[in-house]
Amino acid sequence: MCGIVAAVGTDNVLPILMEGLKRLEYRGYDSAGVALVQAPGRLGRAREVGKVAALEQALVAAPLTGMTGIAHTRWATHGKPSQDNAHPHMSGRVAVVHNGIIENHLALRAELMADGFVFTSETDTEVMAHLVERELQRSDSLLQAVERAVARLEGAYALGVIDAEAPDRVIGARQGSPLVVGVGDHGCYLGSDPLALLSVTDRFIYLEDGDLVVVNQGGCTVHGLAPDGTRQEVVREVMRFEHDDLAVGKGEFAHYMLKEIHEQPVAVANALEGRLGADRVLIEALGPQARELLADTRQVHIVACGTSYHAGLVARYWIEELAGVPCQVEIASEYRYRQVVAPPGTLFLALSQSGETADTLAALRHARRRQGDDAYIGSLAVCNVPGSSLVRESDLSLMTHAGPEIGVASTKAFTTQLTALMLVTLALRQVRGGDPELTARLVHRLRYLPTLLGDAVALDEEIRGIADGLASHRHALFLGRGSQMPIAMEGALKLKEISYIHAEAYAAGELKHGPLALIDETMPVVALAPMDDVREKLNSNLQEVRARGGELLVFADPESGVVAGEGVTVVNVPACCHYLAPIVYTVPLQLLAYYVAVARDTDVDQPRNLAKSVTVE
Ligand code: HGA
């Protein structure tokens, strides 16, 4: 997704802006740009299609300097990736960067064109530059002009605005897209997330929807929007960012994704830390109202997107089986637009790595609006980013503590989400009086989970050796049963995302109802065979594939009874109980996707067309 960085400093801020853009590269983007107030009355701008490195090169050839500036990585929504469409967009003395979608841009464009403004891009964003320029002619200050301009916008935005005639400030605005203020010793900054600014500060203000902020060298003033539409100066808490800055490098690994796969034993240990008692989950660790909320829960609605949705699908198996609570899981972009029936006592459980996923946030807000009408009893966010919108707007939040995840394809964020969801499941089980012996057994196994994940990561070499075989194929099927079915979906998604091989997942028992028609020697089949109650059934499904010439790659428990042979490759996965198997079996599938992508020489950390924190609808 688009990334915004802005700075007002005591020296040339270009290096800070460029460092910030590099730190936002993980979000996925197609072009980059920067604009600085070079001298009072004079703006300088550079924009390039492609990577931040290309922008850096352009700036070597034609340097820009200034103590006030804005910068942007663009992930196109309106208009193709091109230099003209790259941000910042300018109009007269004004330059603007934007994350989000201005839904009424066509009407505004027509109005501004009728007023004589000339458009040079296809973006929705450009209307904002012209609106501010027009308002400046009749306003007392840049703040007032931006305030009047944003009042005309419908949709979602995070904005950074500079004015050549006001060289000491940047105005920021937030409505529906993330924006933070970084408060430093030698300047003040804006960023789409704190990671962008960690090289200059670890103190942040998380802006709220409706906020406008004036950023100056010495600090900032936030102007909040009251419910009656009036604006007044407000004090927002300055929070210290917790993540270790050093964790943001690639270290010895070729890609962030590989590093993050290898970090999973530690990440999952962090997700468990402080949350397990001797033989139970410490419900209090979920928050002060957690016990009451979980005790009142009659059913759970899990809402998420992409990889997080797969974590939700696994959790449904756990919550229904271990806590006896009905659970439904839905993609956020569907949930938010349909008439959901939420019976009294529904807990809304939102999953998002970033906590800024636009669809998930919209679904949460939709549920919160109905909290008073006897349907939803509350909301719980499982999230990796402290201070994110999802965390702030939910009644309860359970942080996954995965640490910064930079690779666009999610890995450790997923396994830590699953870990957190197992904690929620056991907490629900406890408040409902489930047999404590099984709870205690699962708690003991959870303690051992980081070690198991270490063993799974150690399959790295073996999987690297078999990845080439898959890399030459154009399609693949993934099979699983029970709680491994969503893991098969996640394995297929990972392969699609980073290797661009078309992959689909099916419940193994469903194969003969249609997809079996696809099987021949050109269709490799990846299957998951843990020790569970349906392993015999899965074995029969695998025979059906083999009988039709399909090549099998099976990730199997050593005792599962799956035997290697002609056309059947077996990778033994560390033995584990079937409840935790979805977490353990995820790791070899991540490694498989990774090494197939490396063999196909794709851009593993920033796959084409994809973005990390999906802040647009
Ligand atoms: N709509 C703007 C910004 C897109 C965006 O926020 N992407 O994450 C554009 O297309 O330039």
Side-chain angles (χ1 to χ4, degrees), residues 1-2 74-78 85 87 98-101 123-125 615-616:
M1 287 289 111
C2 291
R74 174 174 188 248
W75 186 81
T77 64
H78 290 59
N85 288 335
H87 302 209
H98 164 226
N99 171 205
I101 290 173
T123 63
D124 50 339
T125 305
T615 52
V616 295

Side-chain angles (χ1 to χ4, degrees), residues 191-202:
S192 290
D193 66 34
L195 291 184
L197 302 171
L198 280 180
S199 64
V200 281
T201 186
D202 64 353

Side-chain angles (χ1 to χ4, degrees), residues 541-552:
N541 302 142
L542 299 186
Q543 296 308 322
E544 291 157 15
V545 172
R546 203 53 214 123
R548 283 149 187 92
E551 298 247 337
L552 283 168

